[in-house]
């Protein structure tokens, strides 16, 4: 069976991290979300993959190339303008043989385990089948109404408590779906949505069924949701290896992975789950607490403490700092005495809408340079290529190329 993975969108709500990479490339446990998705397909024997790319496509294509290093074969199709999920699927039509009985479609920005996909593969029926999960909080998702296993309505991101059965964005279609996609009208949000295509199929009397799953399906709606996803994956990761050089006098407890050529210097105290990438230089006397992921080529100097955070590749973090409940993008330089305030239940306004965050420190995009003794207030984000001189407190979000003297 072929699989179409939708990976052309940016993931606006994950800014500033998505200013330089799309949401599918955000790392969870040091691997892009899309790599987790491809791994779960491969474990189900699905190796023929059509990847729909658009926003920052080079980054995806450079990483996955033809897919062979990941045990799959990838064909790329470009969606030049992100006009919606139905439009994205339509771009892949030329690679689906009308003789194929069915094919799989899934979002590239949701974490799934192999069993999640298997639940649909083992139970689909009708002209189209979609995988659902039960959720208490359904805002921002598509929900379905059904009679027995047959879907009667799909309601996309509507206010109110209409159903707790959420569409995961994982579908099985027959090639006939392309006829309905062509007829799908543009939605109120200005996009061609696959959920509207499904509704059209239902209205035309076609059989649309749903399969529910209790297997892992995680969506990072906002950037701060990555912390929870990271913790979940770290807790369930069974392939943790200790490579690199662990000096005498290092304390390790719980599940800890250390990559090749990484040096953990004496006096460092690490409580897992923690994953540290390759070519890092950590310590002496650094404290790393659950649930933290540190990328490749990262250095962390003495007496810095990091907790429940994601530090991406190529960062330099100097001594006596404290970073918790935070995400630090790639290639950031952070001076000594850095401190992140953290708060529970912050209200964060994005595009005029209020979003409630769990316990949160800060989120940094890529390529920022932060001087010594800088304090960042809880929930404040620093975009990309900003410069903060020593001794400042950052109270407000910094946009791209900001300079704080
Ligand atoms: C209209 C639609 O499909 N809604 C579903 C989608 O919403 P949701 O709003 O999550 O859909 P997104 O806009 O995030 O897109 C999902 C995926 O499709 C890709 N993409 C999106 C638009 C586009 O033009 N091209 C493209 O490739 C994105 O990169 C992403 O990987 O997933 C949710 C699960 O997470 C479901 O509950 C929603 O019912």
């Amino acid at each position: 069976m072929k699989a179409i993975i939708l990976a052309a969108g940016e993931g606006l709500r994950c800014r500033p991290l998505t200013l330089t990479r799309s949401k599918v490339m955000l790392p969870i446990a040091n691997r892009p979300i899309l790599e987790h998705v491809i791994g779960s397909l491969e474990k189900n024997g699905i190796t023929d993959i059509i990847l729909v790319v658009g926003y920052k496509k080079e980054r995806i294509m450079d990483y996955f190339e033809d897919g062979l290093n990941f045990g799959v074969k990838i064909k790329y199709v470009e969606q030049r303008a992100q006009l919606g999920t139905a439009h994205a699927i339509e771009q892949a039509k030329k690679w689906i043989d009308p003789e194929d009985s069915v094919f799989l479609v899934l979002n590239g920005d949701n974490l799934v385990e192999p069993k999640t996909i298997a639940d649909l593969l083992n139970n689909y029926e009708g002209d189209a089948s979609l995988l659902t999960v039960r959720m208490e909080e359904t805002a921002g998702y598509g929900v379905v109404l059904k009679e027995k296993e047959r879907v009667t309505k799909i309601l996309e991101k509507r206010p109110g408590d209409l159903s707790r059965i959420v569409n995961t964005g994982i579908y099985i279609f027959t090639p006939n779906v392309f006829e309905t996609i062509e007829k799908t009208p543009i939605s109120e949000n200005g996009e061609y949505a696959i959920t509207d295509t499904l509704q059209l199929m239902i209205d035309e009397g076609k059989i649309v069924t749903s399969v529910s799953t209790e297997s892992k399906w995680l969506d990072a709606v906002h950037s701060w949701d990555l912390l929870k996803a990271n913790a979940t994956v770290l807790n369930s990761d069974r392939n943790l290896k200790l490579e690199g050089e662990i000096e005498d006098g290092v304390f390790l407890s719980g599940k800890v992975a250390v990559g090749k050529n990484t040096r953990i210097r004496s006096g460092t105290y690490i409580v897992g789950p923690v994953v540290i990438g390759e070519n890092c230089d950590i310590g002496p006397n650094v404290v790393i607490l659950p649930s933290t992921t540190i990328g490749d080529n990262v250095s962390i100097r003495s007496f810095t403490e990091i907790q429940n955070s994601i530090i991406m590749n190529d960062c330099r973090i100097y001594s006596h700092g404290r970073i918790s409940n935070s995400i630090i993008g790639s290639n950031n330089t952070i001076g000594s005495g850095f401190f992140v305030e953290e708060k529970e239940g912050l209200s964060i306004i994005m595009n005029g809408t209020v979003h409630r965050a769990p316990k949160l420190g800060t989120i940094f995009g890529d390529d920022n340079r932060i001087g010594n003794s800088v304090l960042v207030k809880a929930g404040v984000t620093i975009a990309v290529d900003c410069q903060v001189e020593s001794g400042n407190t950052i109270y407000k979000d910094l946009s791209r190329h900001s300079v704080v003297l």
Side-chain angles (χ1 to χ4, degrees), residues 144-196:
V144 305
L145 305 180
K146 50 193 251 185
E147 274 166 27
K148 299 213 168 123
E149 292 321 309
R150 210 158 152 176
V151 177
T152 53
K153 261 213 167 343
I154 302 199
L155 304 155
E156 184 64 20
K157 301 188 184 82
R158 301 270 181 83
D161 205 6
L162 302 163
S163 164
R164 301 228 186 288
I165 308 170
V166 167
N167 170 27
T168 60
I170 308 177
Y171 316 94
I172 296 265
F173 291 115
T174 69
N176 291 337
V177 71
F178 290 111
E179 288 162 27
T180 321
I181 286 178
E182 273 169 33
K183 292 187 272 181
T184 303
I186 197 155
S187 71
E188 283 169 13
N189 304 334
E191 44 174 43
Y192 297 96
I194 194 62
T195 42
D196 286 342

Short mmCIF file of all heavy atoms in Angstrom, two decimals, residues 144-196:
data_model
loop_
_atom_site.label_atom_id
_atom_site.label_comp_id
_atom_site.label_asym_id
_atom_site.label_seq_id
_atom_site.Cartn_x
_atom_site.Cartn_y
_atom_site.Cartn_z
N VAL A 144 -16.26 14.10 14.60
CA VAL A 144 -17.24 13.39 13.78
C VAL A 144 -18.46 12.96 14.60
O VAL A 144 -18.37 12.74 15.80
CB VAL A 144 -16.62 12.13 13.09
CG1 VAL A 144 -15.39 12.50 12.28
CG2 VAL A 144 -16.28 11.05 14.07
N LEU A 145 -19.59 12.91 13.89
CA LEU A 145 -20.80 12.30 14.44
C LEU A 145 -20.97 10.99 13.68
O LEU A 145 -20.69 10.93 12.48
CB LEU A 145 -22.02 13.19 14.21
CG LEU A 145 -21.94 14.63 14.72
CD1 LEU A 145 -23.25 15.37 14.41
CD2 LEU A 145 -21.67 14.66 16.22
N LYS A 146 -21.42 9.93 14.38
CA LYS A 146 -21.55 8.66 13.68
C LYS A 146 -22.73 7.84 14.16
O LYS A 146 -23.25 8.06 15.26
CB LYS A 146 -20.25 7.87 13.79
CG LYS A 146 -19.70 7.71 15.19
CD LYS A 146 -18.28 7.19 15.12
CE LYS A 146 -18.25 5.78 15.60
NZ LYS A 146 -16.92 5.21 15.68
N GLU A 147 -23.17 6.95 13.28
CA GLU A 147 -24.17 5.95 13.66
C GLU A 147 -23.51 4.61 13.45
O GLU A 147 -23.11 4.29 12.34
CB GLU A 147 -25.40 6.08 12.76
CG GLU A 147 -26.38 7.10 13.25
CD GLU A 147 -27.43 7.46 12.20
OE1 GLU A 147 -27.71 6.61 11.33
OE2 GLU A 147 -27.93 8.60 12.27
N LYS A 148 -23.38 3.83 14.51
CA LYS A 148 -22.53 2.63 14.51
C LYS A 148 -21.16 3.04 13.98
O LYS A 148 -20.60 4.02 14.43
CB LYS A 148 -23.18 1.51 13.72
CG LYS A 148 -24.53 1.11 14.32
CD LYS A 148 -24.81 -0.35 14.15
CE LYS A 148 -25.99 -0.72 14.99
NZ LYS A 148 -27.06 -1.31 14.22
N GLU A 149 -20.61 2.33 12.99
CA GLU A 149 -19.26 2.71 12.52
C GLU A 149 -19.32 3.70 11.36
O GLU A 149 -18.31 4.11 10.83
CB GLU A 149 -18.45 1.46 12.13
CG GLU A 149 -18.09 0.56 13.28
CD GLU A 149 -17.70 1.31 14.56
OE1 GLU A 149 -16.85 2.22 14.49
OE2 GLU A 149 -18.27 1.00 15.63
N ARG A 150 -20.55 4.07 10.94
CA ARG A 150 -20.68 4.93 9.76
C ARG A 150 -20.70 6.40 10.16
O ARG A 150 -21.46 6.80 11.05
CB ARG A 150 -21.97 4.56 9.02
CG ARG A 150 -21.83 4.80 7.56
CD ARG A 150 -22.80 4.01 6.76
NE ARG A 150 -23.05 4.77 5.53
CZ ARG A 150 -23.78 4.36 4.54
NH1 ARG A 150 -24.39 3.19 4.62
NH2 ARG A 150 -23.94 5.11 3.47
N VAL A 151 -19.86 7.19 9.53
CA VAL A 151 -19.79 8.61 9.86
C VAL A 151 -20.95 9.33 9.16
O VAL A 151 -21.20 9.14 7.97
CB VAL A 151 -18.43 9.21 9.38
CG1 VAL A 151 -18.37 10.70 9.65
CG2 VAL A 151 -17.28 8.49 10.07
N THR A 152 -21.67 10.16 9.92
CA THR A 152 -22.79 10.89 9.34
C THR A 152 -22.45 12.36 9.12
O THR A 152 -23.04 13.03 8.28
CB THR A 152 -24.05 10.79 10.23
OG1 THR A 152 -23.68 11.21 11.55
CG2 THR A 152 -24.59 9.37 10.27
N LYS A 153 -21.51 12.88 9.89
CA LYS A 153 -21.11 14.28 9.75
C LYS A 153 -19.68 14.49 10.20
O LYS A 153 -19.24 13.88 11.17
CB LYS A 153 -22.02 15.18 10.61
CG LYS A 153 -23.13 15.82 9.83
CD LYS A 153 -23.52 17.19 10.32
CE LYS A 153 -24.40 17.95 9.36
NZ LYS A 153 -24.51 17.56 7.99
N ILE A 154 -18.99 15.41 9.51
CA ILE A 154 -17.67 15.85 9.99
C ILE A 154 -17.75 17.34 10.20
O ILE A 154 -18.15 18.09 9.29
CB ILE A 154 -16.57 15.57 8.95
CG1 ILE A 154 -16.53 14.09 8.64
CG2 ILE A 154 -15.22 16.05 9.45
CD1 ILE A 154 -15.25 13.63 8.02
N LEU A 155 -17.42 17.77 11.39
CA LEU A 155 -17.52 19.20 11.72
C LEU A 155 -16.11 19.70 12.00
O LEU A 155 -15.44 19.21 12.90
CB LEU A 155 -18.42 19.38 12.95
CG LEU A 155 -19.81 18.77 12.75
CD1 LEU A 155 -20.45 18.40 14.07
CD2 LEU A 155 -20.70 19.73 11.99
N GLU A 156 -15.66 20.65 11.20
CA GLU A 156 -14.26 21.08 11.28
C GLU A 156 -14.12 22.33 12.14
O GLU A 156 -14.71 23.38 11.82
CB GLU A 156 -13.74 21.33 9.85
CG GLU A 156 -12.29 21.70 9.75
CD GLU A 156 -11.32 20.61 10.21
OE1 GLU A 156 -11.70 19.43 10.26
OE2 GLU A 156 -10.17 20.96 10.54
N LYS A 157 -13.38 22.21 13.22
CA LYS A 157 -13.03 23.34 14.10
C LYS A 157 -14.22 24.25 14.40
O LYS A 157 -14.17 25.46 14.20
CB LYS A 157 -11.89 24.16 13.49
CG LYS A 157 -10.64 23.34 13.25
CD LYS A 157 -9.46 24.17 12.84
CE LYS A 157 -8.25 23.32 12.52
NZ LYS A 157 -8.20 22.73 11.18
N ARG A 158 -15.32 23.64 14.84
CA ARG A 158 -16.51 24.42 15.19
C ARG A 158 -16.52 24.68 16.69
O ARG A 158 -16.10 23.82 17.46
CB ARG A 158 -17.79 23.63 14.84
CG ARG A 158 -17.91 23.27 13.39
CD ARG A 158 -18.64 24.36 12.62
NE ARG A 158 -18.76 23.97 11.22
CZ ARG A 158 -19.71 23.17 10.75
NH1 ARG A 158 -20.64 22.71 11.55
NH2 ARG A 158 -19.74 22.86 9.47
N PRO A 159 -17.04 25.82 17.12
CA PRO A 159 -17.15 26.05 18.56
C PRO A 159 -18.23 25.14 19.16
O PRO A 159 -19.12 24.68 18.45
CB PRO A 159 -17.54 27.52 18.66
CG PRO A 159 -18.13 27.87 17.33
CD PRO A 159 -17.57 26.93 16.31
N GLY A 160 -18.13 24.91 20.47
CA GLY A 160 -19.18 24.13 21.14
C GLY A 160 -18.77 22.68 21.29
O GLY A 160 -17.81 22.21 20.68
N ASP A 161 -19.56 22.00 22.09
CA ASP A 161 -19.26 20.65 22.51
C ASP A 161 -20.05 19.68 21.65
O ASP A 161 -21.02 19.08 22.09
CB ASP A 161 -19.69 20.56 23.99
CG ASP A 161 -18.93 19.49 24.70
OD1 ASP A 161 -18.00 18.92 24.09
OD2 ASP A 161 -19.26 19.22 25.87
N LEU A 162 -19.65 19.51 20.37
CA LEU A 162 -20.49 18.77 19.44
C LEU A 162 -20.24 17.26 19.46
O LEU A 162 -21.15 16.47 19.27
CB LEU A 162 -20.25 19.31 18.02
CG LEU A 162 -20.54 20.81 17.89
CD1 LEU A 162 -19.92 21.39 16.64
CD2 LEU A 162 -22.04 21.06 17.91
N SER A 163 -19.00 16.89 19.71
CA SER A 163 -18.64 15.47 19.76
C SER A 163 -17.25 15.37 20.38
O SER A 163 -16.46 16.29 20.27
CB SER A 163 -18.62 14.90 18.34
OG SER A 163 -17.93 13.68 18.30
N ARG A 164 -16.98 14.24 21.03
CA ARG A 164 -15.63 14.05 21.59
C ARG A 164 -14.79 13.15 20.69
O ARG A 164 -13.69 12.76 21.03
CB ARG A 164 -15.72 13.40 22.97
CG ARG A 164 -16.52 14.20 23.98
CD ARG A 164 -15.77 14.33 25.28
NE ARG A 164 -16.54 14.98 26.31
CZ ARG A 164 -16.83 16.26 26.32
NH1 ARG A 164 -16.42 17.06 25.35
NH2 ARG A 164 -17.57 16.78 27.30
N ILE A 165 -15.36 12.79 19.53
CA ILE A 165 -14.64 11.87 18.63
C ILE A 165 -13.87 12.71 17.62
O ILE A 165 -14.45 13.36 16.75
CB ILE A 165 -15.63 10.92 17.92
CG1 ILE A 165 -16.53 10.24 18.96
CG2 ILE A 165 -14.88 9.90 17.10
CD1 ILE A 165 -17.68 9.48 18.35
N VAL A 166 -12.55 12.72 17.79
CA VAL A 166 -11.71 13.63 17.01
C VAL A 166 -11.08 12.92 15.81
O VAL A 166 -10.59 11.79 15.92
CB VAL A 166 -10.60 14.21 17.94
CG1 VAL A 166 -9.50 14.90 17.16
CG2 VAL A 166 -11.21 15.17 18.96
N ASN A 167 -11.10 13.60 14.67
CA ASN A 167 -10.43 13.11 13.46
C ASN A 167 -8.91 13.26 13.63
O ASN A 167 -8.43 14.35 13.89
CB ASN A 167 -10.93 13.97 12.29
CG ASN A 167 -10.15 13.72 11.01
OD1 ASN A 167 -9.59 12.64 10.81
ND2 ASN A 167 -10.13 14.72 10.14
N THR A 168 -8.18 12.15 13.44
CA THR A 168 -6.71 12.22 13.60
C THR A 168 -6.01 12.69 12.32
O THR A 168 -4.79 12.89 12.33
CB THR A 168 -6.12 10.84 13.95
OG1 THR A 168 -6.46 9.95 12.87
CG2 THR A 168 -6.64 10.30 15.26
N GLY A 169 -6.76 12.77 11.22
CA GLY A 169 -6.09 13.13 9.96
C GLY A 169 -5.39 11.93 9.33
O GLY A 169 -4.52 12.10 8.48
N ILE A 170 -5.78 10.71 9.74
CA ILE A 170 -5.23 9.48 9.13
C ILE A 170 -6.39 8.77 8.43
O ILE A 170 -7.41 8.47 9.05
CB ILE A 170 -4.60 8.56 10.21
CG1 ILE A 170 -3.61 9.35 11.06
CG2 ILE A 170 -3.93 7.36 9.55
CD1 ILE A 170 -2.98 8.56 12.20
N TYR A 171 -6.23 8.56 7.12
CA TYR A 171 -7.36 8.07 6.31
C TYR A 171 -6.92 6.94 5.39
O TYR A 171 -5.76 6.88 4.98
CB TYR A 171 -7.87 9.18 5.38
CG TYR A 171 -8.04 10.55 6.03
CD1 TYR A 171 -7.01 11.50 5.94
CD2 TYR A 171 -9.21 10.90 6.69
CE1 TYR A 171 -7.14 12.76 6.51
CE2 TYR A 171 -9.35 12.17 7.26
CZ TYR A 171 -8.32 13.08 7.17
OH TYR A 171 -8.45 14.32 7.74
N ILE A 172 -7.90 6.10 5.04
CA ILE A 172 -7.73 5.17 3.92
C ILE A 172 -8.74 5.59 2.86
O ILE A 172 -9.93 5.76 3.17
CB ILE A 172 -8.05 3.71 4.34
CG1 ILE A 172 -7.07 3.22 5.40
CG2 ILE A 172 -8.08 2.80 3.12
CD1 ILE A 172 -5.88 2.45 4.93
N PHE A 173 -8.27 5.77 1.63
CA PHE A 173 -9.16 6.14 0.52
C PHE A 173 -9.01 5.14 -0.61
O PHE A 173 -7.94 4.54 -0.77
CB PHE A 173 -8.76 7.51 -0.04
CG PHE A 173 -9.05 8.66 0.89
CD1 PHE A 173 -8.00 9.41 1.42
CD2 PHE A 173 -10.35 9.02 1.21
CE1 PHE A 173 -8.25 10.50 2.26
CE2 PHE A 173 -10.60 10.10 2.06
CZ PHE A 173 -9.55 10.84 2.59
N THR A 174 -10.05 5.06 -1.45
CA THR A 174 -9.89 4.41 -2.75
C THR A 174 -9.52 5.53 -3.74
O THR A 174 -9.82 6.71 -3.47
CB THR A 174 -11.19 3.72 -3.22
OG1 THR A 174 -12.14 4.74 -3.52
CG2 THR A 174 -11.77 2.80 -2.16
N PRO A 175 -8.92 5.20 -4.88
CA PRO A 175 -8.55 6.26 -5.83
C PRO A 175 -9.74 7.11 -6.30
O PRO A 175 -9.54 8.22 -6.81
CB PRO A 175 -7.90 5.50 -6.99
CG PRO A 175 -7.37 4.25 -6.35
CD PRO A 175 -8.38 3.89 -5.30
N ASN A 176 -10.98 6.62 -6.11
CA ASN A 176 -12.16 7.41 -6.51
C ASN A 176 -12.26 8.73 -5.74
O ASN A 176 -12.98 9.63 -6.15
CB ASN A 176 -13.46 6.63 -6.24
CG ASN A 176 -13.58 5.47 -7.17
OD1 ASN A 176 -12.97 5.50 -8.24
ND2 ASN A 176 -14.33 4.46 -6.77
N VAL A 177 -11.54 8.84 -4.63
CA VAL A 177 -11.63 10.07 -3.83
C VAL A 177 -11.21 11.29 -4.66
O VAL A 177 -11.69 12.41 -4.43
CB VAL A 177 -10.79 9.96 -2.54
CG1 VAL A 177 -9.29 10.00 -2.84
CG2 VAL A 177 -11.13 11.07 -1.57
N PHE A 178 -10.33 11.08 -5.65
CA PHE A 178 -9.86 12.24 -6.42
C PHE A 178 -11.01 12.92 -7.18
O PHE A 178 -10.99 14.12 -7.38
CB PHE A 178 -8.73 11.82 -7.38
CG PHE A 178 -7.46 11.48 -6.64
CD1 PHE A 178 -7.00 10.18 -6.59
CD2 PHE A 178 -6.74 12.46 -5.96
CE1 PHE A 178 -5.84 9.85 -5.89
CE2 PHE A 178 -5.58 12.15 -5.25
CZ PHE A 178 -5.13 10.85 -5.21
N GLU A 179 -12.04 12.13 -7.58
CA GLU A 179 -13.21 12.74 -8.24
C GLU A 179 -13.92 13.68 -7.29
O GLU A 179 -14.35 14.77 -7.66
CB GLU A 179 -14.20 11.66 -8.69
CG GLU A 179 -13.72 10.85 -9.86
CD GLU A 179 -14.49 9.54 -10.01
OE1 GLU A 179 -15.67 9.48 -9.58
OE2 GLU A 179 -13.89 8.59 -10.55
N THR A 180 -14.05 13.27 -6.02
CA THR A 180 -14.74 14.12 -5.04
C THR A 180 -13.87 15.31 -4.65
O THR A 180 -14.38 16.40 -4.40
CB THR A 180 -15.16 13.30 -3.79
OG1 THR A 180 -15.60 12.02 -4.20
CG2 THR A 180 -16.26 14.00 -3.01
N ILE A 181 -12.55 15.09 -4.58
CA ILE A 181 -11.65 16.21 -4.26
C ILE A 181 -11.83 17.33 -5.30
O ILE A 181 -11.91 18.51 -4.96
CB ILE A 181 -10.18 15.73 -4.19
CG1 ILE A 181 -9.95 14.93 -2.90
CG2 ILE A 181 -9.21 16.91 -4.26
CD1 ILE A 181 -8.56 14.36 -2.71
N GLU A 182 -11.93 16.94 -6.58
CA GLU A 182 -12.10 17.95 -7.64
C GLU A 182 -13.35 18.79 -7.44
O GLU A 182 -13.41 19.95 -7.82
CB GLU A 182 -12.17 17.27 -9.01
CG GLU A 182 -10.79 17.05 -9.60
CD GLU A 182 -10.81 16.16 -10.81
OE1 GLU A 182 -11.81 16.19 -11.57
OE2 GLU A 182 -9.83 15.40 -10.96
N LYS A 183 -14.38 18.19 -6.83
CA LYS A 183 -15.66 18.90 -6.63
C LYS A 183 -15.72 19.63 -5.30
O LYS A 183 -16.70 20.31 -5.00
CB LYS A 183 -16.82 17.88 -6.65
CG LYS A 183 -17.06 17.24 -7.99
CD LYS A 183 -18.31 16.39 -7.96
CE LYS A 183 -18.00 14.99 -7.49
NZ LYS A 183 -19.08 14.06 -7.42
N THR A 184 -14.69 19.49 -4.46
CA THR A 184 -14.74 20.06 -3.10
C THR A 184 -14.71 21.58 -3.14
O THR A 184 -13.79 22.16 -3.75
CB THR A 184 -13.56 19.54 -2.24
OG1 THR A 184 -13.62 18.11 -2.23
CG2 THR A 184 -13.61 20.08 -0.82
N PRO A 185 -15.71 22.24 -2.56
CA PRO A 185 -15.71 23.71 -2.59
C PRO A 185 -14.71 24.29 -1.60
O PRO A 185 -14.27 23.61 -0.67
CB PRO A 185 -17.14 24.06 -2.17
CG PRO A 185 -17.56 22.92 -1.30
CD PRO A 185 -16.84 21.70 -1.80
N ILE A 186 -14.39 25.55 -1.80
CA ILE A 186 -13.48 26.22 -0.87
C ILE A 186 -14.24 26.51 0.43
O ILE A 186 -15.43 26.86 0.40
CB ILE A 186 -12.88 27.48 -1.52
CG1 ILE A 186 -11.66 27.96 -0.76
CG2 ILE A 186 -13.90 28.60 -1.69
CD1 ILE A 186 -10.70 28.77 -1.61
N SER A 187 -13.60 26.31 1.57
CA SER A 187 -14.30 26.46 2.86
C SER A 187 -14.34 27.92 3.30
O SER A 187 -13.70 28.78 2.69
CB SER A 187 -13.58 25.64 3.93
OG SER A 187 -12.35 26.27 4.24
N GLU A 188 -15.06 28.16 4.41
CA GLU A 188 -15.12 29.52 4.97
C GLU A 188 -13.73 30.03 5.33
O GLU A 188 -13.45 31.21 5.29
CB GLU A 188 -15.97 29.52 6.25
CG GLU A 188 -17.44 29.47 5.98
CD GLU A 188 -18.23 29.19 7.26
OE1 GLU A 188 -17.66 29.28 8.35
OE2 GLU A 188 -19.43 28.87 7.11
N ASN A 189 -12.82 29.08 5.70
CA ASN A 189 -11.45 29.48 6.05
C ASN A 189 -10.57 29.71 4.82
O ASN A 189 -9.37 29.91 4.93
CB ASN A 189 -10.75 28.40 6.89
CG ASN A 189 -11.53 28.06 8.11
OD1 ASN A 189 -12.30 28.87 8.60
ND2 ASN A 189 -11.35 26.84 8.60
N GLY A 190 -11.17 29.57 3.64
CA GLY A 190 -10.42 29.82 2.41
C GLY A 190 -9.52 28.67 2.00
O GLY A 190 -8.51 28.87 1.33
N GLU A 191 -9.87 27.41 2.41
CA GLU A 191 -9.03 26.30 1.98
C GLU A 191 -9.86 25.13 1.47
O GLU A 191 -11.06 25.04 1.74
CB GLU A 191 -8.09 25.85 3.11
CG GLU A 191 -8.71 25.75 4.47
CD GLU A 191 -7.79 25.17 5.52
OE1 GLU A 191 -6.61 25.55 5.54
OE2 GLU A 191 -8.26 24.32 6.29
N TYR A 192 -9.19 24.29 0.71
CA TYR A 192 -9.83 23.06 0.24
C TYR A 192 -9.50 21.98 1.26
O TYR A 192 -8.35 21.53 1.34
CB TYR A 192 -9.32 22.68 -1.15
CG TYR A 192 -9.66 23.73 -2.19
CD1 TYR A 192 -8.74 24.71 -2.54
CD2 TYR A 192 -10.92 23.75 -2.79
CE1 TYR A 192 -9.05 25.69 -3.46
CE2 TYR A 192 -11.25 24.74 -3.71
CZ TYR A 192 -10.30 25.70 -4.04
OH TYR A 192 -10.63 26.67 -4.95
N ALA A 193 -10.50 21.64 2.08
CA ALA A 193 -10.24 20.78 3.24
C ALA A 193 -10.70 19.35 2.93
O ALA A 193 -11.79 19.14 2.41
CB ALA A 193 -11.00 21.31 4.45
N ILE A 194 -9.87 18.38 3.29
CA ILE A 194 -10.23 16.98 3.04
C ILE A 194 -11.46 16.58 3.87
O ILE A 194 -12.22 15.69 3.49
CB ILE A 194 -9.03 16.03 3.29
CG1 ILE A 194 -9.30 14.64 2.71
CG2 ILE A 194 -8.67 15.94 4.77
CD1 ILE A 194 -9.49 14.56 1.24
N THR A 195 -11.69 17.30 4.96
CA THR A 195 -12.88 17.01 5.76
C THR A 195 -14.14 17.42 4.99
O THR A 195 -15.18 16.77 5.09
CB THR A 195 -12.80 17.75 7.11
OG1 THR A 195 -12.31 19.07 6.88
CG2 THR A 195 -11.86 17.05 8.06
N ASP A 196 -14.05 18.48 4.16
CA ASP A 196 -15.19 18.85 3.30
C ASP A 196 -15.39 17.79 2.21
O ASP A 196 -16.52 17.48 1.82
CB ASP A 196 -14.96 20.23 2.67
CG ASP A 196 -15.14 21.36 3.68
OD1 ASP A 196 -15.74 21.11 4.75
OD2 ASP A 196 -14.66 22.48 3.43
#
